[in-house]
């Protein structure tokens, strides 16, 4: 496998305004492609935000948005990952991440863990499977926001061969240190790359801190988006990853028969 370049597109999601969010993403994808990115990650619920009052209606437009993302993916030769609402058929919606590879919808992942503290479990329906996408860039795992607090999900993806885990999120203040610590932990314990993309700015009543990050298998932060809208880009080296795994062979030393 050849090394790749990953990007995260951090912005203030306009709640309920698909046209505005899509316009921003169109321009941002062109910018990261011009910087050599091959993988581009968008925030959680990037097209609509958590617009609970009309989320079901907004979800009806997701297919059209995905179709445009497929065109943008083909135009810029990108693998694009980001989550949007998907109709669940029972009055609720799924929080679904789509993985699009050079114009082709490869797979999708429905968020497993719903953040009950903010009522996600009332408006959303949880998924029932994990996601490892076979892409032109290699095997990419996907988790969404709150999923980050459940390490067994990321470990399953690593055991199945993920070399990158993508984490689209809307993770608000004041839990910045949890975000940073958990992202680094997932990278360190699984000895793989973590590419995360968080929203930033005031969205509804919540204030988001951004801090989208690209983290290497040692847990070193290669790029940090800070608190303002913008894009981060960093190279991912498979040789570096494989060398590190050989130096500290955690996967060979596991004792799954005990735990």
């Amino acid at each position: 496998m050849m090394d790749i370049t990953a990007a995260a597109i951090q912005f203030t999601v306009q709640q309920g305004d698909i046209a505005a969010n899509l316009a921003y993403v169109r321009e941002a994808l062109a910018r990261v492609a011009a910087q050599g990115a091959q993988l581009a990650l968008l925030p959680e619920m990037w097209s609509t935000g958590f617009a609970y009052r009309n989320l079901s209606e907004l979800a009806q437009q997701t297919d059209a948005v995905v179709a445009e993302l497929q065109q943008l993916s083909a135009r810029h030769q990108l693998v694009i990952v980001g989550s949007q609402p998907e109709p669940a058929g029972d009055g609720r919606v799924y929080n679904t991440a789509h993985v699009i590879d050079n114009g082709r919808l490869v797979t999708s992942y429905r968020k497993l863990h719903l953040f009950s503290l903010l009522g996600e479990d009332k408006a959303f329906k949880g998924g029932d499977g994990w996601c490892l996408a076979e892409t032109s860039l290699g095997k990419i795992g996907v988790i969404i926001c709150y999923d980050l607090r459940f390490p067994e999900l990321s470990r399953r993806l690593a055991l199945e061969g993920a070399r990158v885990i993508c984490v689209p999120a809307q993770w608000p203040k004041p839990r910045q240190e949890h975000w940073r610590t958990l992202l680094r932990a997932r990278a360190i314990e699984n000895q793989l790359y973590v590419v995360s993309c968080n929203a930033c700015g005031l969205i509804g009543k919540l204030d988001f801190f951004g801090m989208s990050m690209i983290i290497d298998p040692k847990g070193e932060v290669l790029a940090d988006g800070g608190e303002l809208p913008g894009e981060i880009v960093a190279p991912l080296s498979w040789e570096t990853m494989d060398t590190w795994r050989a130096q500290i062979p955690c996967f060979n030393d596991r004792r799954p028969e005990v735990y």
Side-chain angles (χ1 to χ4, degrees):
M1 292 184 295
M2 297 180 64
D3 294 348
I4 68 170
T5 300
I9 296 171
Q10 174 176 298
F11 67 102
T12 304
V13 176
Q14 302 302 308
Q15 199 155 272
D17 193 340
I18 294 174
N21 295 321
L22 187 52
Y24 186 96
V25 164
R26 282 191 203 104
E27 295 183 2
L29 288 172
R31 289 194 293 269
V32 298
Q35 296 179 67
Q38 296 138 297
L39 169 65
L41 180 61
L42 305 174
E44 177 184 22
M45 296 289 286
W46 68 268
S47 63
T48 64
F50 288 86
Y52 286 114
R53 290 184 180 180
N54 59 338
L55 204 51
S56 294
E57 292 78 8
L58 292 167
Q60 301 300 323
Q61 301 181 54
T62 293
D63 283 349
V65 177
V66 170
E68 177 157 354
L69 277 189
Q70 288 179 264
Q71 295 175 4
L72 293 167
S73 168
R75 181 185 309 162
H76 298 302
Q77 297 184 306
L78 286 168
V79 173
I80 302 173
V81 181
S83 88
Q84 301 182 74
E86 175 198 3
D90 62 356
R92 294 179 294 171
V93 299
Y94 293 109
N95 183 341
T96 302
H98 302 92
V99 181
I100 301 169
D101 185 352
N102 287 276
R104 181 173 63 95
L105 178 59
V106 175
T107 190
S108 58
Y109 163 69
R110 293 166 173 168
K111 186 177 182 179
L112 280 177
H113 303 98
L114 302 177
F115 193 42
S116 57
L117 179 64
L118 293 180
E120 284 186 16
D121 55 324
K122 296 179 176 62
F124 290 88
K125 186 174 182 178
D128 57 8
W130 45 271
C131 175
L132 183 67
E134 296 273 2
T135 76
S136 59
L137 304 179
K139 293 182 178 180
I140 296 175
V142 182
I143 65 176
I144 299 175
C145 202
Y146 189 44
D147 286 334
L148 186 61
R149 291 188 181 271
F150 300 85
E152 55 271 39
L153 177 56
S154 295
R155 174 50 58 95
R156 178 60 183 268
L157 296 174
L159 291 173
E160 294 292 334
R163 301 181 76 80
V164 184
I165 293 179
C166 289
V167 192
Q170 286 202 34
W171 195 291
K173 295 178 180 179
R175 295 182 287 276
Q176 294 96 312
E177 286 309 308
H178 290 192
W179 167 255
R180 183 180 181 88
T181 299
L182 290 169
L183 287 170
R184 294 188 66 219
R186 298 297 85 84
I188 292 168
E189 68 198 5
N190 293 305
Q191 297 178 309
L192 45 62
Y193 286 93
V194 171
V195 180
S196 66
C197 187
N198 192 28
C200 63
L202 191 64
I203 305 174
K205 296 180 180 180
L206 295 176
D207 194 4
F208 295 86
F209 54 82
M211 205 186 291
S212 300
M213 289 188 286
I214 300 173
I215 303 170
D216 79 3
K218 295 182 180 181
E220 296 179 3
V221 178
L222 304 179
D224 184 331
E227 293 198 5
L228 299 177
E231 299 89 45
I232 57 172
V233 178
L236 313 186
S237 167
W238 306 137
E239 182 180 0
T240 296
M241 175 178 167
D242 292 338
T243 299
W244 180 244
R245 286 186 168 189
Q247 288 176 0
I248 303 183
C250 293
F251 286 91
N252 294 338
D253 295 339
R254 292 174 67 245
R255 295 285 306 280
E257 73 279 5
V258 176
Y259 46 71

